[in-house]
Amino acid sequence: MDIRQLRYFIAIVEERKISAAAKRLHLSQPPLSQQLKAMEEELGSKLVERSGKHLEVTEAGKALYKYALQMNQLMEEAKMEVKEVGNGVNGRLSIGVNTFSVAELPEILHRFQKQYPKVTYKIQQNESAHLCKLVKDRTIELAIIRLPLELDDFTVLHLYTEPLYLVTSNKQKLFGHEVSLADIQDHPLILPSTQGLGVHYLISEAFSRFHLHPNIVGECSDITLLMDLISSGFCGSIVPETMLKRHKGYSIHAHKISGSAEMSAPVGLIWLKNHCLSKVAQNFVDLFIEEGSHRQQYTS
């Protein structure tokens, strides 16, 4: 039996006449009678019996009718869900977020949830290089990363560029509001990234450009621990503006890095090149593009 036959049987039971069921199904009577006979032969049971002008459902028929209703309902729900997933109304958004995160991400996700309330979320936080690997392995579809990185395998949507700041403890009045790289090259720094990647690379490259040799004593990807170390006076660090927005309440001072040494960090949204995104992921990309155009209009 298939779902079409079960729908035929539902109509026969509910109309109690082959002629009425055939009319409801937009069929002629003989094919419908043949389908009923085929079902009875397959099941080895009489499903309906004639009683005067009407059909009476047998006990076997009642059992089949119960399951036919359930299966028809499941089929309708399946069709609806598949259509919703195809339109991006339903499904799962799998996205990776750089360790520093994005200050506006909660607001953007909130907007996305309002438009697509049935979508569920898989959000992973990690270093940008590892997020690239997760996208390449198709563990996640999208990732928000810090540049620069090797991105030949990915499509990149540039989101924004933000300034980097020297951050020190409020307990130590070492610098003014603005500093140069030369001012801070001897101050012990722990960088919030892994050597050779993203922010770490930007900082190292900036010092190198001015032939300076910073006193980098370590690196720390645990941002909460890094902020604790900075506020205690253990070290300073150079961090993106987002990190200051998302980690407030620490006894720290942020110094603008001035002059030609002023540094900034680009942020991008990536996905696998030549890969057809799910509709959910595409809808999220479209929302980010819309958000970016609003930001440009606001700042221009």
Side-chain angles (χ1 to χ4, degrees):
M1 281 187 301
D2 56 31
I3 191 66
R4 179 175 54 92
Q5 289 175 310
L6 291 176
R7 286 172 175 160
Y8 290 169
F9 184 66
I10 290 171
I12 291 170
V13 171
E14 292 177 352
E15 297 296 334
R16 299 184 64 198
K17 283 185 177 182
I18 294 291
S19 58
K23 186 176 180 181
R24 169 173 156 179
L25 295 166
H26 306 290
L27 294 172
S28 59
Q29 292 186 45
L32 187 56
S33 297
Q34 291 170 7
Q35 290 293 337
L36 175 60
K37 183 179 179 182
M39 283 190 285
E40 290 179 328
E41 288 177 353
E42 181 179 344
L43 294 171
S45 298
K46 199 74 174 169
L47 299 175
V48 295
E49 293 177 338
R50 185 165 296 280
S51 176
K53 293 182 179 181
H54 297 92
L55 297 175
E56 294 293 337
V57 186
T58 65
E59 289 302 314
K62 290 177 182 177
L64 179 62
Y65 176 68
K66 179 181 71 172
Y67 285 108
L69 288 176
Q70 293 175 3
M71 294 178 73
N72 187 55
Q73 178 67 22
L74 284 172
M75 181 61 73
E76 291 302 317
E77 290 174 2
K79 284 166 60 178
M80 183 179 297
E81 185 167 339
V82 169
K83 285 180 181 178
E84 287 181 347
V85 170
N87 293 328
V89 175
N90 205 336
R92 169 175 275 203
L93 177 66
S94 58
I95 184 169
V97 182
N98 176 265
T99 303
F100 304 129
S101 191
V102 177
E104 297 84 4
L105 186 59
E107 289 77 12
I108 292 171
L109 285 173
H110 188 66
R111 281 185 57 195
F112 189 74
Q113 185 188 45
K114 277 190 172 180
Q115 291 185 41
Y116 306 102
K118 294 184 179 180
V119 170
T120 59
Y121 300 86
K122 174 185 179 183
I123 303 172
Q124 295 198 21
Q125 187 179 49
N126 216 305
E127 291 280 359
S128 294
H130 186 66
L131 293 178
C132 289
K133 183 179 184 302
L134 293 179
V135 173
K136 205 168 183 179
D137 294 343
R138 305 198 181 194
T139 303
I140 55 178
E141 272 198 283
L142 305 171
I144 298 171
I145 63 165
R146 295 276 165 176
L147 305 170
L149 281 175
E150 187 63 46
L151 296 170
D152 291 344
D153 296 321
F154 306 97
T155 299
V156 184
L157 173 65
H158 180 266
L159 300 180
Y160 56 87
T161 299
E162 63 177 336
L164 299 178
Y165 289 86
L166 170 71
V167 184
T168 60
S169 172
N170 271 343
K171 298 175 183 178
Q172 303 168 321
K173 301 296 182 181
L174 300 174
F175 306 103
H177 180 67
E178 294 191 8
V179 296
S180 69
L181 291 181
D183 293 334
I184 63 177
Q185 68 170 331
D186 295 325
H187 188 68
L189 299 174
I190 291 184
L191 302 190
S193 180
T194 302
Q195 186 173 2
L197 301 179
V199 172
H200 197 297
Y201 173 83
L202 286 171
I203 295 168
S204 300
E205 190 276 334
F207 277 104
S208 177
R209 198 179 339 128
F210 291 92
H211 308 288
L212 300 172
H213 304 283
N215 181 19
I216 298 175
V217 297
E219 54 193 45
C220 179
S221 60
D222 185 325
I223 303 306
T224 301
L225 175 58
L226 180 59
M227 296 298 280
D228 286 337
L229 292 173
I230 296 168
S231 60
S232 72
F234 179 80
C235 64
S237 189
I238 297 175
V239 303
E241 187 177 40
T242 292
M243 189 166 149
L244 302 178
K245 292 178 179 178
R246 294 193 59 81
H247 298 272
K248 297 178 180 179
Y250 286 90
S251 300
I252 60 171
H253 183 73
H255 311 265
K256 183 179 180 182
I257 300 173
S258 60
S260 58
E262 185 174 336
M263 290 187 289
S264 58
V267 177
L269 178 67
I270 66 164
W271 58 94
L272 205 56
K273 193 176 286 183
N274 301 322
H275 169 66
C276 184
L277 287 174
S278 70
K279 191 60 178 176
V280 169
Q282 186 61 58
N283 287 343
F284 189 74
V285 171
D286 292 343
L287 181 62
F288 251 118
I289 292 173
E290 180 186 335
E291 186 74 17
S293 66
H294 287 330
R295 187 184 288 112
Q296 288 176 0
Q297 290 172 11
Y298 181 76
T299 55
S300 60

